[in-house]
Amino acid sequence: MKNIKITLSLLILITLTSCDDFLSEVPDNRTQIDTPEKISELLVTAYPDRTYAVIAETMSDNVFDSEMAASNIDNSQSFNWEMQTQFGIDTEGDFWNSCYRAIAAANQALVAIDELGNPSSLNPQKGEALFARAYSHFMLVSFWSQRYNPATAATDLGIPYVTKPETALLAQYKRNSVKEVFDFIEQDITEGMKYVTSNYKEPKYHFNVQAAKAFASRFYLVKGDWDKVLEYSKDLGSEPTNLRDYEAFNAAPSAEKEIVYSRVENPTNLLVAYPNSIAGRGYVNRFYLSANRADEILGSDTYLFGKPWLIYTSQFYENNVLMPKFYEYFKYTNVTAGIGEPYTGTVLLSNDEFFLNRIEAHVMKNQLSEARAELQYFLGTRIEDYDPSTDILTEEYIVDTYPAVANEFTPFYALTPLQTSYIKAITEARRRDFIQEGMRWFDIKRFDLVVTHNTVQFGQVVRNNVLTKGDKRRALQIPQRASDNGIEKNPR
């Protein structure tokens, strides 16, 4: 809760835009960031204060038509990969602006450090600012651009990579190419890694060392630099003890599960935020994880060893299933009127994702015995009634369960049939582990997976919408208010 209070109290410190405009206003009464303490306070706001989870999850193949009577327009537009026309909580435009607000805070902190003479005592703040800037730009390019492909990245439209605080009213920005954006991100990661630290009172609200390495592994997985992924994940080892303990999670009282999932004391959680979000209320939407389809993803018949995934589903709302992952803290601004703002505990980076990235890198380096041993270990922490004496992961079993299918998994790099089977197994593990957190969308983009969304009425399909390979809708359309300010739109 402390993080929420700090964030709210420091909004006046930032050289930012209003919620309605993208990098278009310069406050007249800007607070001077001229001490180490002020820089540290400013960096609390260098993280997006909105979330992508609802947007990304609704676009993925984890979501179905529950046939509920009504659905909000954002939910329907995301399900159909249409440009969202609304602006507000958990919308595309809100997340876009949130990322650029966070970038503005990071840039202002870097300028303030430079103006103070760039002393070594401020290296931790410098490292955090660089990683915060890289993270928000990575999220932006991941959603509003086509997937990274070195063959086309130099000409593919990226997003504006902003490295300086805004000084002009209604400044105009152009989109960098995807290659330029990735080059800038890599520069910030490389430089930031020199300075980042874990020496914080509450390190998991900041880019600490392990969070920085986990983010770097995500970035290099997308870029296809397997050596870098293995380099940054080497401290995890082959049997990390700090993965999520689902047996303990499942044993927690129902009312506490959301708190347990995102709490900073949980060893697997590396970076935690409390964005302004109602992600935990998504079960009221028509297009969601419907109860009659949940077994397709989490059931015993759809994964290795024929046993269900160790995860508790806490709530059914009509035909929808909610995973207890999003603890909502409602901050009242007027208790009598019942008015306030919801803030939702969100895990941005974890050892679970970090370890799966490592296993995938082993596969791509043809270190298949290492990959198989590590995946076996991971599954031992995830499968219900796991028995190491009988639940043995063999190469033949992986290939039989996940045979390579022509033109199904098509990243920009080549996959052998054997690698494809391993990658499919890892991808399905990631899908289950991060269900309702939006992570599935990243795999859909980088592997160019086909997704079919059916709209149903009285049990009959009335609309069949397919996201084909190379579909231009895989890059979200630039928010209207940003394009009105001169940001080039994505082709459609």
Side-chain angles (χ1 to χ4, degrees):
M1 298 309 102
K2 180 179 179 181
N3 188 53
I4 298 171
K5 295 175 183 176
I6 293 173
T7 301
L8 292 174
S9 67
L10 292 174
L11 291 177
I12 60 171
L13 293 175
I14 313 171
T15 307
L16 301 176
T17 67
S18 72
C19 289
D20 290 340
D21 297 291
F22 160 63
L23 301 174
S24 62
E25 286 189 29
V26 180
D28 293 327
N29 58 344
R30 182 180 308 161
T31 301
Q32 295 299 310
I33 311 299
D34 52 9
T35 68
E37 292 75 20
K38 289 180 180 178
I39 293 170
S40 295
E41 291 173 344
L42 175 61
L43 283 171
V44 174
T45 63
Y47 301 85
D49 59 0
R50 301 294 191 272
T51 181
Y52 60 87
V54 175
I55 305 162
E57 191 73 9
T58 308
M59 293 190 294
S60 79
D61 53 3
N62 288 341
V63 169
F64 310 94
D65 187 353
S66 67
E67 295 190 71
M68 287 170 56
S71 179
N72 69 61
I73 189 169
D74 301 325
N75 178 242
S76 177
Q77 288 173 333
S78 287
F79 183 75
N80 290 296
W81 307 293
E82 298 169 350
M83 179 181 176
Q84 289 187 349
T85 55
Q86 306 298 303
F87 189 94
I89 196 167
D90 292 326
T91 62
E92 296 169 8
D94 215 26
F95 185 65
W96 167 280
N97 281 351
S98 173
C99 285
Y100 276 113
R101 286 196 298 269
I103 290 165
N107 284 336
Q108 188 61 55
L110 289 168
V111 167
I113 292 169
D114 188 60
E115 290 176 347
L116 288 176
N118 206 22
S120 59
S121 61
L122 286 174
N123 280 349
Q125 289 91 332
K126 183 175 182 179
E128 181 179 8
L130 288 167
F131 264 99
R133 183 169 74 183
Y135 174 81
S136 285
H137 280 113
F138 177 81
M139 299 308 294
L140 287 162
V141 77
S142 296
F143 283 106
W144 278 277
S145 299
Q146 294 295 342
R147 65 173 182 165
Y148 177 80
N149 183 341
T152 60
T155 54
D156 288 339
L157 284 170
I159 44 90
Y161 203 98
V162 183
T163 58
K164 296 179 181 179
E166 186 174 300
T167 57
L169 186 64
L170 297 176
Q172 297 295 306
Y173 290 84
K174 74 176 187 67
R175 298 177 67 172
N176 294 93
S177 69
V178 170
K179 181 182 185 305
E180 289 172 331
V181 173
F182 269 68
D183 286 347
F184 282 132
I185 292 172
E186 186 165 19
Q187 288 174 20
D188 281 347
I189 288 175
T190 302
E191 186 70 8
M193 202 67 76
K194 299 175 184 176
Y195 311 117
V196 71
T197 181
S198 298
N199 189 25
Y200 298 101
K201 185 177 180 181
E202 294 175 327
K204 292 184 179 180
Y205 290 132
H206 304 266
F207 256 111
N208 56 77
V209 174
Q210 283 303 106
K213 290 181 178 180
F215 169 62
S217 80
R218 181 191 291 184
F219 170 76
Y220 284 113
L221 198 71
V222 171
K223 196 175 181 186
D225 191 334
W226 323 120
D227 289 328
K228 286 287 189 182
V229 177
L230 294 174
E231 173 189 339
Y232 285 119
S233 64
K234 63 183 178 182
D235 291 342
L236 279 176
S238 297
E239 297 185 355
T241 59
N242 49 9
L243 300 180
R244 190 172 301 281
D245 185 345
Y246 268 109
E247 289 188 354
F249 171 75
N250 289 344
S254 295
E256 297 179 13
K257 280 184 166 61
E258 292 101 336
I259 299 174
V260 170
Y261 192 86
S262 61
R263 71 193 315 170
V264 295
E265 293 83 6
N266 194 320
T268 192
N269 296 338
L270 299 177
L271 185 63
V272 177
Y274 271 84
N276 186 204
S277 170
I278 53 172
R281 307 184 205 175
Y283 55 85
V284 300
N285 287 318
R286 174 175 176 174
F287 303 107
Y288 200 68
L289 177 63
S290 54
N292 61 339
R293 304 292 294 274
D295 276 350
E296 295 181 17
I297 301 173
L298 299 169
S300 59
D301 297 332
T302 57
Y303 199 64
L304 297 162
F305 305 135
K307 296 178 179 180
W309 207 250
L310 251 183
I311 190 168
Y312 177 93
T313 56
S314 70
Q315 185 168 352
F316 291 78
Y317 180 82
E318 292 193 17
N319 194 34
N320 285 345
V321 177
L322 171 68
M323 302 300 171
K325 294 182 173 183
F326 299 105
Y327 169 68
E328 182 180 308
Y329 165 71
F330 194 84
K331 182 177 177 62
Y332 285 97
T333 55
N334 187 320
V335 176
T336 303
I339 298 171
E341 292 289 342
Y343 296 89
T344 299
T346 305
V347 180
L348 299 182
L349 293 163
S350 70
N351 279 315
D352 305 312
E353 178 199 352
F354 200 6
F355 192 45
L356 286 171
N357 293 348
R358 174 182 172 82
I359 299 170
E360 187 173 325
H362 278 312
V363 172
M364 296 313 302
K365 293 288 291 182
N366 283 311
Q367 299 167 354
L368 299 183
S369 60
E370 292 92 333
R372 191 167 59 254
E374 291 181 6
L375 183 58
Q376 170 95 40
Y377 177 80
F378 181 82
L379 295 179
T381 69
R382 293 302 191 269
I383 299 296
E384 188 173 313
D385 298 324
Y386 173 75
D387 185 346
S389 65
T390 57
D391 297 330
I392 300 172
L393 195 61
T394 65
E395 191 165 278
E396 181 181 15
Y397 187 29
I398 292 173
V399 172
D400 287 346
T401 307
Y402 291 104
V405 177
N407 204 39
E408 181 185 17
F409 276 63
T410 53
F412 70 79
Y413 44 85
L415 289 174
T416 67
L418 184 56
Q419 285 176 323
T420 300
S421 292
Y422 275 85
I423 294 299
K424 288 175 70 173
I426 294 165
T427 302
E428 285 302 309
R430 187 183 290 112
R431 181 187 190 186
R432 286 159 173 74
D433 220 48
F434 298 102
I435 193 165
Q436 296 191 343
E437 295 180 63
M439 290 291 291
R440 176 65 172 173
W441 180 248
F442 295 95
D443 281 346
I444 287 171
K445 283 195 71 167
R446 68 193 181 96
F447 292 121
D448 210 19
L449 300 177
V450 174
V451 179
T452 300
H453 279 174
N454 292 326
T455 302
V456 182
Q457 187 173 355
F458 304 117
Q460 300 296 316
V461 175
V462 295
R463 182 182 183 186
N464 178 264
N465 199 350
V466 181
L467 191 72
T468 58
K469 288 186 177 294
D471 198 310
K472 293 178 180 179
R473 294 175 298 174
R474 291 174 183 268
L476 300 182
Q477 187 55 274
I478 300 298
Q480 186 64 48
R481 291 166 183 172
S483 62
D484 287 346
N485 198 37
I487 304 298
E488 183 180 355
K489 289 185 176 182
N490 283 320
R492 284 291 186 263

